[in-house]
Amino acid sequence: MPENLDALDARLLLLLTDSPRLGVLECARRLGVARGTVQARLDRLTERGILGGFPPELDLAAMGYGLTAFAWLEIAQGRRAEVTEALSAIDEVCEVHATTGQGDLFVRMVARGNDDLQRVIDEVVGVPDVLRTSTSIALSTPVPPRVRPLLERTARS
């Protein structure tokens, strides 16, 4: 059973979410704890798989990928590993989730425009063992991916 985050872990993660380039010493100063405490917490969060790195936050639209689409894929039974491996080879596929319900996989993909999206969908449909797809284009993202509310609630406890 994984142990829960405590308030200091959550405060540290919030600090790094807001300012991912902060050093350990500055984190310690802002949190009012010893440098060794921050380093030990970071090491433990990394070992537990909670903290996977510090990638930059990228704006895909600013990079030329202004269209986001989601697709439900129905796949041949027992072929999830092979299909997800093939999907991961398509650069525009950003996420794949195995799901319950009507579809087997839920895919988030990006494209430069409608013609480019058609190309990406054709690649996805061309993956062996993909039986059927249903694609929707995202018009906006009123709630972007986030973990901040969960960290804030833990930090208050």
Side-chain angles (χ1 to χ4, degrees), residues 5-20 27 31 41-42 45-46 50-54 147-148 151:
L5 293 178
D6 67 15
L8 181 57
D9 289 334
R11 289 177 38 227
L12 175 59
L13 291 171
L14 281 168
L15 185 60
L16 291 172
T17 297
D18 292 341
S19 303
C27 287
L31 293 171
R41 294 293 181 120
L42 289 172
L45 291 167
T46 302
I50 293 170
L51 180 61
F54 297 94
V147 295
R148 181 174 204 84
L151 291 172

Side-chain angles (χ1 to χ4, degrees), residues 141-146:
T141 307
V143 179
R146 64 193 185 131

Side-chain angles (χ1 to χ4, degrees), residues 6-152:
D6 67 15
L8 181 57
D9 289 334
R11 289 177 38 227
L12 175 59
L13 291 171
L14 281 168
L15 185 60
L16 291 172
T17 297
D18 292 341
S19 303
R21 297 177 65 173
L22 284 181
V24 172
L25 192 58
E26 181 60 18
C27 287
R29 187 188 69 73
R30 291 188 188 188
L31 293 171
V33 297
R35 181 209 166 285
T37 300
V38 169
Q39 187 63 59
R41 294 293 181 120
L42 289 172
D43 292 345
R44 191 182 56 171
L45 291 167
T46 302
E47 288 169 13
R48 292 172 54 199
I50 293 170
L51 180 61
F54 297 94
E57 184 178 324
L58 303 175
D59 184 332
L60 291 172
M63 293 172 49
Y65 293 93
L67 196 148
T68 299
F70 298 92
W72 287 103
L73 275 56
E74 292 181 28
I75 63 173
Q77 287 191 359
R79 306 302 292 183
R80 186 184 69 217
E82 294 84 356
V83 171
T84 55
E85 183 178 343
L87 291 172
S88 69
I90 301 171
D91 295 338
E92 293 83 0
V93 171
C94 298
E95 293 177 64
V96 178
H97 300 270
T99 62
T100 62
Q102 290 183 335
D104 300 304
L105 299 174
F106 187 64
V107 178
R108 180 173 70 96
M109 59 188 114
V110 295
R112 296 185 179 276
N114 289 342
D115 291 341
D116 193 38
L117 178 60
Q118 183 62 62
R119 177 191 59 78
V120 175
I121 291 170
D122 290 344
E123 282 190 55
V124 169
V125 171
V127 169
D129 298 313
V130 171
L131 305 176
R132 190 171 295 111
T133 67
S134 176
T135 304
S136 297
I137 294 174
L139 299 176
S140 66
T141 307
V143 179
R146 64 193 185 131
V147 295
R148 181 174 204 84
L150 299 171
L151 291 172
E152 287 174 344

